């Protein structure tokens, strides 16, 4: 039975035969001369990297399914960013189809679409950064893919499951719904993964770059129904995962390391909550938004550009001011307790300077008054 999912896939993609790499064709033999590799490493005694890795590393995908406790199809890719690009190329026809985002959100959805001349429609988040569900559902009609991000970067909030289900129901028969869960480890109970079984047009993107602390390894995952995955698999480049990364990833997904990660998440959340409470006490901080992630978003009063204040002290944060909905907002990643203490110390210092300047200003006229009396 052909579903609307099949109809979203451009003909050019449907016709593709997956690239026939030497590893995929495989064979049965003693002497392997089929892939133009060197037959042995140039540095005897070291671990050799002369042979191509698996064409689609199943062991990593299986380990990730186990970690997610899901039967949904899984595939490892080079970071969530590659997942975004792959999904757009699989389900949108360049220079014709459209995607839908809910701004402010992660910039890569629009960037990848732009590169393919795919128009990005927007259903802006409401003032409290919640979805405008009826608007999302309306606009889903015009788009091949709806990109949601939960917890959302850079606003830090999650999409409640009831709202996500409303979007999934509304997008049924119209568009794919992709949920980017890059920060899900900081609020795991809100994951959409268990909904894939009920909604085959739901795709979940994950990464090991954030809570797992493996940004340099470049590993992300796509979780989806087998119907979605058969098409994505056509476009995945051969040998997507370098050998060294595969080994690190397999180890990271062992029970022991996952529980280390979960402990680290708990600790980070404590540091984050304490830091957010401290931030909220400064006069020049207008608002600290609630966070379900490893960063906080704050809004400062317009006359206090905290991004620059911190930069002068060698503390690099992310200025969000360019985004109309995030005027005077700064995003600060949560690091060690020491680093967060440095931020607070910097802001304390700035506050002290402000007070001194204010006092100097109120004193000056008095001084002049005194002079006039003489
Ligand atoms: C960091 C981030 C990504 C990119 O993750 P990689 O796996 O490092 O490519 C994707 N989506 C969101 C929302 C992110 O914040």
């Amino acid at each position: 039975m052909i579903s609307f999912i099949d109809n979203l896939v451009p003909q050019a993609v449907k016709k593709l035969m997956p690239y026939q790499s030497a590893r995929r064709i495989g064979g049965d033999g003693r002497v392997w001369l089929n892939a133009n590799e060197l037959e042995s490493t140039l540095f005897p005694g070291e671990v050799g990297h002369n042979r191509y890795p698996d064409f689609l590393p199943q062991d990593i995908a299986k380990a990730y399914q186990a970690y997610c406790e899901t039967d949904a199809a899984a595939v490892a890719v080079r970071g969530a960013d590659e997942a975004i690009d792959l999904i757009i190329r699989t389900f949108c026809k360049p220079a014709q189809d459209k995607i839908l985002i809910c701004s402010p959100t992660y910039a890569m959805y629009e960037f990848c679409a732009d590169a393919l001349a795919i128009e990005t429609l927007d259903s802006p988040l409401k003032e409290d950064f919640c979805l405008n569900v009826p608007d999302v559902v309306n606009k889903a009609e015009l788009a091949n893919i709806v990109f949601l991000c939960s917890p959302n970067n850079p606003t830090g909030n999650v999409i409640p499951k009831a709202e996500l289900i409303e979007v999934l129901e509304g997008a049924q028969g119209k568009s794919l719904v992709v949920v980017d869960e890059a920060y899900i480890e900081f609020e795991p109970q809100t994951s959409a993964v268990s909904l894939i079984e009920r909604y085959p047009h739901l795709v979940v993107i994950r990464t090991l770059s954030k809570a797992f602390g493996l940004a340099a390894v470049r590993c992300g995952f796509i979780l989806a129904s087998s119907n979605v995955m058969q098409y994505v698999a056509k476009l995945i480049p051969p040998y997507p995962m370098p050998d060294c990364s595969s080994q690190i990833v397999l180890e990271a997904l062992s029970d022991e390391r996952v529980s280390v990660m979960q402990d680290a998440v708990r600790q980070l959340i404590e540091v984050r909550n304490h830091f957010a409470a401290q931030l909220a006490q400064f006069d020049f901080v207008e608002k600290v938004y609630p966070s379900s992630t490893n960063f906080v978003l704050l809004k400062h009063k317009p006359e206090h550009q905290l991004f620059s204040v911190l930069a002068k002290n060698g503390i690099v944060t992310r200025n969000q001011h360019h985004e109309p909905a995030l005027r005077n907002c700064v995003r600060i990643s949560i690091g060690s307790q020491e680093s967060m203490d440095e931020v607070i110390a910097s802001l304390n210092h700035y506050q002290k300077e402000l007070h001194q300047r204010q006092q100097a200003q109120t004193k000056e006229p008095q001084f002049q008054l005194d002079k006039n009396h003489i």
Side-chain angles (χ1 to χ4, degrees), residues 209-325:
S209 293
K210 306 287 158 63
F212 279 88
L214 294 175
V217 171
R218 305 309 301 135
C219 181
F221 292 91
I222 300 174
L223 298 161
S225 62
S226 53
N227 196 14
V228 164
M229 204 60 97
Q230 65 171 322
Y231 295 114
V232 175
K234 285 188 175 217
L235 279 188
I236 288 186
Y239 320 122
M241 199 53 58
D243 254 357
C244 329
S245 290
S246 288
Q247 280 158 21
I248 295 167
V249 169
L250 269 184
E251 195 161 323
L253 293 172
S254 66
D255 290 348
E256 196 187 332
R257 294 239 170 174
V258 165
S259 93
V260 169
M261 178 276 289
Q262 287 163 335
D263 283 345
V265 163
R266 276 188 283 273
Q267 266 177 36
L268 187 144
I269 289 174
E270 264 181 46
V271 174
R272 178 194 73 199
N273 292 349
H274 178 61
F275 176 66
Q278 283 180 302
L279 280 181
Q281 307 214 321
F282 289 104
D283 294 337
F284 43 75
V285 172
E286 212 164 274
K287 191 171 167 86
V288 181
Y289 293 92
S291 169
S292 301
T293 64
N294 64 343
F295 58 82
V296 290
L297 183 73
L298 70 82
K299 185 182 209 143
H300 52 72
K301 294 189 176 151
E303 61 274 27
H304 303 281
Q305 288 299 319
L306 296 191
F307 173 79
S308 314
V309 170
L310 293 171
K312 273 186 207 134
N313 284 306
I315 298 169
V316 187
T317 59
R318 192 72 176 251
N319 199 352
Q320 301 290 338
H321 190 68
H322 57 273
E323 185 91 43

Side-chain angles (χ1 to χ4, degrees), residues 108-170:
M108 282 300 285
Y109 317 130
E110 185 166 8
F111 177 90
C112 292
D114 279 350
L116 297 164
I118 286 163
E119 191 186 336
T120 299
L121 305 173
D122 188 11
S123 172
L125 297 176
K126 296 189 283 192
E127 195 145 6
D128 56 359
F129 297 144
C130 287
L131 289 181
N132 181 344
V133 175
D135 188 57
V136 173
V137 169
N138 261 337
K139 289 175 176 162
E141 185 112 44
L142 305 167
N144 282 33
I145 306 173
V146 179
F147 277 98
L148 303 176
C149 188
S150 180
N152 187 34
N153 178 5
T155 60
N157 59 320
V158 297
I159 300 172
K161 222 171 223 176
E163 284 183 17
L164 179 60
I165 289 174
E166 270 186 79
V167 172
L168 285 164
E169 294 279 345

Side-chain angles (χ1 to χ4, degrees), residues 78-82 84 106 109 149 151 153 180 182-183 206-210 215 218-220:
R78 286 167 295 209
D81 283 344
E82 186 180 47
I84 295 163
Y106 190 54
Y109 317 130
C149 188
N153 178 5
D180 182 341
Y183 298 95
R206 294 287 193 88
T207 179
L208 301 188
S209 293
K210 306 287 158 63
R218 305 309 301 135
C219 181

